[in-house]
Amino acid sequence: MRATAFAANTSASSFSKQLQRVLLLSALFVAASVNSLAQITVSPASLTFAAQVIDTTSAAKSVTITNNGGSAQPIVVTMSGDYTETDNCSGSVAGGGSCTAKITFAPTIVGSIKGAASIDDNSNKLLAFVGITGTGQAPVTTAPASLAFTGGTIGTISAAKTFKITNNTTSSVTITNITTNAPDYTITTGTCLTTPLASKGKYCTVTVQVTPTSAVDDGAIIITDNAPNALPLAVKLTSAATAGTSPVSLSKTSLIFKTLSGTTSAAQTTTVTNTSASAV
């Protein structure tokens, strides 16, 4: 219950942050289009950062700011989203000259993160604009994030399905616990709880089977680890099963005994027949 509430709060917070960023970017795009004939230009006009683990900083990407006019142009570079910059412009670009801004990405949430670098003059008039996109990544991830067992038979163990737990950081990560809230599922953790994931890209494999006791038999697997800023991971489990066909039949499905109190009846017989191809 706590994990569910935490995930819901985290999701709501992430959505709020993303909405604010989208609104800001929309306003900047409108302003940039109005100001398209400004003497200041940027190259490239957009940047895309690869997936970056949250609360770590990416390598820098460079943007060249060019003054196409004949006189010096004062500028102020303002960043939005989880992006920062350093530059050698010293607050102005000489006429016919250029300077360089180096932009880095340090995501604070998991998922797609949009931002911008806006170049303004001293009166906050937008001169140029760089759209930026990046993806925040959890320190440890699972793939797939859900397992669906369909077409099963109640009381019969399913075929095995697997998922991987991957270390996305540059340091060793230890998986500390793998549990499930669904007792009908059998988990084989392999080396996940005994061998650390030594470096980025290393993974271990978990095997899962279900012996359903009802038509719908859902649950989840919760995974914890010791990575910095790590959150509990959840792998969703779903099962859809039917009662199936009984492997045995009875010659009689009921027996009626009539006898005097205190005496023993005659025996009655029902025959049990195996209707399947295997021993029962």
Side-chain angles (χ1 to χ4, degrees), residues 49-61 82-86 102-108 135-137 168-170 200 229:
F49 285 84
Q52 183 73 26
V53 174
I54 57 173
D55 296 318
T56 65
T57 302
S58 72
K61 289 181 177 286
D82 291 339
Y83 303 93
T84 57
E85 69 87 27
T86 59
K102 293 185 177 295
I103 298 174
T104 55
F105 176 41
T108 58
T135 301
Q137 187 178 52
N168 300 312
T169 75
T170 56
K200 185 174 183 178
N229 306 304

Tab-separated table of all heavy atoms in Angstrom, residues 49-61 82-86 102-108 135-137 168-170 200 229:
chain	number	residue	atom	x	y	z
A	49	PHE	N	19.399	14.831	-25.559
A	49	PHE	CA	20.313	14.098	-24.694
A	49	PHE	C	19.853	12.648	-24.560
A	49	PHE	O	18.655	12.366	-24.479
A	49	PHE	CB	20.370	14.737	-23.304
A	49	PHE	CG	21.160	16.013	-23.250
A	49	PHE	CD1	20.579	17.231	-23.596
A	49	PHE	CD2	22.487	16.000	-22.863
A	49	PHE	CE1	21.302	18.406	-23.553
A	49	PHE	CE2	23.233	17.178	-22.816
A	49	PHE	CZ	22.634	18.389	-23.164
A	50	ALA	N	20.819	11.742	-24.543
A	50	ALA	CA	20.508	10.330	-24.330
A	50	ALA	C	20.030	10.131	-22.893
A	50	ALA	O	20.139	11.024	-22.047
A	50	ALA	CB	21.751	9.483	-24.591
A	51	ALA	N	19.494	8.937	-22.617
A	51	ALA	CA	19.011	8.628	-21.280
A	51	ALA	C	20.113	8.860	-20.252
A	51	ALA	O	21.247	8.406	-20.427
A	51	ALA	CB	18.523	7.186	-21.213
A	52	GLN	N	19.771	9.568	-19.190
A	52	GLN	CA	20.721	9.915	-18.132
A	52	GLN	C	20.123	9.520	-16.787
A	52	GLN	O	18.952	9.822	-16.499
A	52	GLN	CB	20.998	11.428	-18.161
A	52	GLN	CG	22.027	11.912	-17.170
A	52	GLN	CD	23.448	11.517	-17.568
A	52	GLN	OE1	23.739	11.314	-18.751
A	52	GLN	NE2	24.327	11.419	-16.587
A	53	VAL	N	20.897	8.831	-15.960
A	53	VAL	CA	20.409	8.422	-14.643
A	53	VAL	C	20.084	9.658	-13.818
A	53	VAL	O	20.842	10.645	-13.811
A	53	VAL	CB	21.456	7.558	-13.920
A	53	VAL	CG1	21.016	7.244	-12.492
A	53	VAL	CG2	21.686	6.268	-14.695
A	54	ILE	N	18.933	9.630	-13.124
A	54	ILE	CA	18.502	10.783	-12.347
A	54	ILE	C	19.559	11.176	-11.316
A	54	ILE	O	20.247	10.342	-10.753
A	54	ILE	CB	17.145	10.534	-11.657
A	54	ILE	CG1	17.204	9.300	-10.751
A	54	ILE	CG2	16.040	10.394	-12.678
A	54	ILE	CD1	15.945	9.100	-9.920
A	55	ASP	N	19.654	12.498	-11.112
A	55	ASP	CA	20.595	13.087	-10.152
A	55	ASP	C	22.055	12.851	-10.513
A	55	ASP	O	22.935	12.890	-9.650
A	55	ASP	CB	20.304	12.603	-8.726
A	55	ASP	CG	18.945	13.053	-8.231
A	55	ASP	OD1	18.594	14.221	-8.484
A	55	ASP	OD2	18.224	12.254	-7.614
A	56	THR	N	22.323	12.589	-11.792
A	56	THR	CA	23.693	12.599	-12.308
A	56	THR	C	23.743	13.583	-13.475
A	56	THR	O	22.703	13.955	-14.028
A	56	THR	CB	24.154	11.207	-12.779
A	56	THR	OG1	23.347	10.795	-13.907
A	56	THR	CG2	24.020	10.188	-11.658
A	57	THR	N	24.926	14.006	-13.843
A	57	THR	CA	25.073	15.053	-14.863
A	57	THR	C	25.707	14.494	-16.127
A	57	THR	O	26.702	13.766	-16.069
A	57	THR	CB	25.934	16.214	-14.329
A	57	THR	OG1	25.333	16.743	-13.145
A	57	THR	CG2	26.044	17.328	-15.361
A	58	SER	N	25.128	14.844	-17.250
A	58	SER	CA	25.606	14.355	-18.544
A	58	SER	C	26.869	15.080	-18.977
A	58	SER	O	27.276	16.096	-18.390
A	58	SER	CB	24.526	14.600	-19.607
A	58	SER	OG	24.437	15.997	-19.893
A	59	ALA	N	27.483	14.570	-20.035
A	59	ALA	CA	28.530	15.321	-20.723
A	59	ALA	C	27.892	16.540	-21.388
A	59	ALA	O	26.691	16.559	-21.677
A	59	ALA	CB	29.206	14.437	-21.764
A	60	ALA	N	28.674	17.564	-21.608
A	60	ALA	CA	28.150	18.814	-22.177
A	60	ALA	C	27.962	18.712	-23.684
A	60	ALA	O	28.713	18.009	-24.367
A	60	ALA	CB	29.085	19.965	-21.850
A	61	LYS	N	26.944	19.397	-24.170
A	61	LYS	CA	26.737	19.595	-25.601
A	61	LYS	C	26.901	21.083	-25.897
A	61	LYS	O	26.477	21.934	-25.112
A	61	LYS	CB	25.355	19.117	-26.036
A	61	LYS	CG	25.181	17.602	-26.015
A	61	LYS	CD	23.784	17.211	-26.474
A	61	LYS	CE	23.614	15.698	-26.531
A	61	LYS	NZ	24.320	15.112	-27.684
A	82	ASP	N	15.623	20.629	-16.548
A	82	ASP	CA	16.758	20.140	-15.763
A	82	ASP	C	18.065	20.330	-16.525
A	82	ASP	O	18.906	19.421	-16.607
A	82	ASP	CB	16.553	18.665	-15.410
A	82	ASP	CG	15.419	18.463	-14.417
A	82	ASP	OD1	15.074	19.434	-13.719
A	82	ASP	OD2	14.890	17.344	-14.346
A	83	TYR	N	18.249	21.543	-17.064
A	83	TYR	CA	19.413	21.832	-17.899
A	83	TYR	C	20.154	23.053	-17.361
A	83	TYR	O	19.536	24.005	-16.857
A	83	TYR	CB	18.979	22.084	-19.344
A	83	TYR	CG	18.213	20.918	-19.931
A	83	TYR	CD1	16.818	20.878	-19.875
A	83	TYR	CD2	18.879	19.849	-20.506
A	83	TYR	CE1	16.115	19.790	-20.380
A	83	TYR	CE2	18.180	18.767	-21.013
A	83	TYR	CZ	16.797	18.747	-20.950
A	83	TYR	OH	16.112	17.664	-21.445
A	84	THR	N	21.478	23.032	-17.451
A	84	THR	CA	22.302	24.175	-17.052
A	84	THR	C	23.314	24.448	-18.156
A	84	THR	O	23.539	23.610	-19.035
A	84	THR	CB	23.054	23.886	-15.734
A	84	THR	OG1	23.852	22.706	-15.890
A	84	THR	CG2	22.073	23.673	-14.584
A	85	GLU	N	23.913	25.649	-18.100
A	85	GLU	CA	24.903	25.992	-19.121
A	85	GLU	C	26.009	26.849	-18.542
A	85	GLU	O	25.832	27.553	-17.548
A	85	GLU	CB	24.224	26.701	-20.299
A	85	GLU	CG	23.697	28.094	-20.021
A	85	GLU	CD	24.725	29.209	-20.205
A	85	GLU	OE1	25.667	29.057	-21.002
A	85	GLU	OE2	24.575	30.244	-19.526
A	86	THR	N	27.159	26.778	-19.211
A	86	THR	CA	28.261	27.722	-19.000
A	86	THR	C	28.661	28.227	-20.380
A	86	THR	O	28.526	27.508	-21.381
A	86	THR	CB	29.468	27.049	-18.309
A	86	THR	OG1	29.924	25.947	-19.116
A	86	THR	CG2	29.099	26.547	-16.918
A	102	LYS	N	27.943	25.774	-23.365
A	102	LYS	CA	28.004	24.327	-23.143
A	102	LYS	C	26.877	23.948	-22.191
A	102	LYS	O	26.822	24.432	-21.059
A	102	LYS	CB	29.367	23.917	-22.589
A	102	LYS	CG	30.496	24.112	-23.597
A	102	LYS	CD	31.803	23.573	-23.059
A	102	LYS	CE	32.920	23.699	-24.094
A	102	LYS	NZ	32.662	22.855	-25.285
A	103	ILE	N	25.986	23.060	-22.660
A	103	ILE	CA	24.765	22.718	-21.931
A	103	ILE	C	24.857	21.299	-21.392
A	103	ILE	O	25.280	20.377	-22.110
A	103	ILE	CB	23.541	22.871	-22.850
A	103	ILE	CG1	23.421	24.340	-23.282
A	103	ILE	CG2	22.263	22.406	-22.154
A	103	ILE	CD1	22.324	24.595	-24.311
A	104	THR	N	24.478	21.122	-20.128
A	104	THR	CA	24.474	19.798	-19.500
A	104	THR	C	23.072	19.470	-18.997
A	104	THR	O	22.240	20.352	-18.781
A	104	THR	CB	25.477	19.718	-18.343
A	104	THR	OG1	25.197	20.762	-17.402
A	104	THR	CG2	26.892	19.847	-18.851
A	105	PHE	N	22.848	18.183	-18.763
A	105	PHE	CA	21.528	17.647	-18.384
A	105	PHE	C	21.681	16.863	-17.085
A	105	PHE	O	22.499	15.945	-16.991
A	105	PHE	CB	21.037	16.747	-19.516
A	105	PHE	CG	19.742	16.028	-19.263
A	105	PHE	CD1	18.670	16.652	-18.647
A	105	PHE	CD2	19.587	14.705	-19.683
A	105	PHE	CE1	17.471	15.983	-18.433
A	105	PHE	CE2	18.393	14.026	-19.483
A	105	PHE	CZ	17.331	14.666	-18.852
A	106	ALA	N	20.906	17.235	-16.057
A	106	ALA	CA	20.917	16.528	-14.769
A	106	ALA	C	19.470	16.252	-14.365
A	106	ALA	O	18.856	17.029	-13.625
A	106	ALA	CB	21.633	17.347	-13.703
A	107	PRO	N	18.879	15.153	-14.858
A	107	PRO	CA	17.448	14.910	-14.633
A	107	PRO	C	17.121	14.671	-13.157
A	107	PRO	O	17.890	14.046	-12.425
A	107	PRO	CB	17.175	13.660	-15.476
A	107	PRO	CG	18.508	12.983	-15.595
A	107	PRO	CD	19.516	14.074	-15.627
A	108	THR	N	15.958	15.168	-12.766
A	108	THR	CA	15.473	14.964	-11.398
A	108	THR	C	14.277	14.026	-11.349
A	108	THR	O	13.855	13.637	-10.264
A	108	THR	CB	15.070	16.304	-10.768
A	108	THR	OG1	14.053	16.927	-11.579
A	108	THR	CG2	16.269	17.240	-10.671
A	135	THR	N	16.002	12.380	-21.449
A	135	THR	CA	15.236	11.350	-20.740
A	135	THR	C	15.915	11.013	-19.430
A	135	THR	O	17.093	10.655	-19.403
A	135	THR	CB	15.124	10.072	-21.597
A	135	THR	OG1	14.473	10.391	-22.832
A	135	THR	CG2	14.306	9.009	-20.869
A	136	GLY	N	15.153	11.146	-18.339
A	136	GLY	CA	15.655	10.741	-17.033
A	136	GLY	C	15.457	9.248	-16.845
A	136	GLY	O	14.393	8.706	-17.143
A	137	GLN	N	16.478	8.573	-16.374
A	137	GLN	CA	16.444	7.113	-16.241
A	137	GLN	C	16.671	6.710	-14.782
A	137	GLN	O	17.483	7.301	-14.083
A	137	GLN	CB	17.527	6.485	-17.123
A	137	GLN	CG	17.500	4.976	-17.198
A	137	GLN	CD	18.583	4.451	-18.136
A	137	GLN	OE1	19.747	4.795	-18.014
A	137	GLN	NE2	18.187	3.633	-19.088
A	168	ASN	N	21.922	0.644	-14.432
A	168	ASN	CA	22.168	1.740	-15.369
A	168	ASN	C	23.230	2.715	-14.875
A	168	ASN	O	23.511	3.701	-15.554
A	168	ASN	CB	20.869	2.502	-15.628
A	168	ASN	CG	19.791	1.620	-16.226
A	168	ASN	OD1	20.042	0.893	-17.180
A	168	ASN	ND2	18.596	1.670	-15.671
A	169	THR	N	23.812	2.454	-13.718
A	169	THR	CA	24.819	3.358	-13.159
A	169	THR	C	26.223	2.877	-13.513
A	169	THR	O	26.410	1.783	-14.038
A	169	THR	CB	24.693	3.436	-11.627
A	169	THR	OG1	25.217	2.237	-11.032
A	169	THR	CG2	23.234	3.597	-11.197
A	170	THR	N	27.195	3.701	-13.184
A	170	THR	CA	28.595	3.338	-13.452
A	170	THR	C	29.238	2.633	-12.257
A	170	THR	O	30.420	2.294	-12.308
A	170	THR	CB	29.409	4.591	-13.792
A	170	THR	OG1	29.285	5.547	-12.725
A	170	THR	CG2	28.915	5.219	-15.092
A	200	LYS	N	27.608	-0.606	-15.320
A	200	LYS	CA	26.520	-0.217	-16.221
A	200	LYS	C	26.282	-1.281	-17.283
A	200	LYS	O	27.214	-1.774	-17.912
A	200	LYS	CB	26.844	1.116	-16.884
A	200	LYS	CG	25.726	1.671	-17.740
A	200	LYS	CD	26.048	3.064	-18.243
A	200	LYS	CE	24.878	3.641	-19.036
A	200	LYS	NZ	25.148	5.021	-19.499
A	229	ASN	N	19.720	7.102	-4.671
A	229	ASN	CA	18.461	7.673	-5.156
A	229	ASN	C	17.524	6.632	-5.765
A	229	ASN	O	16.620	6.973	-6.526
A	229	ASN	CB	18.722	8.771	-6.200
A	229	ASN	CG	19.658	9.840	-5.692
A	229	ASN	OD1	19.412	10.446	-4.669
A	229	ASN	ND2	20.755	10.071	-6.408
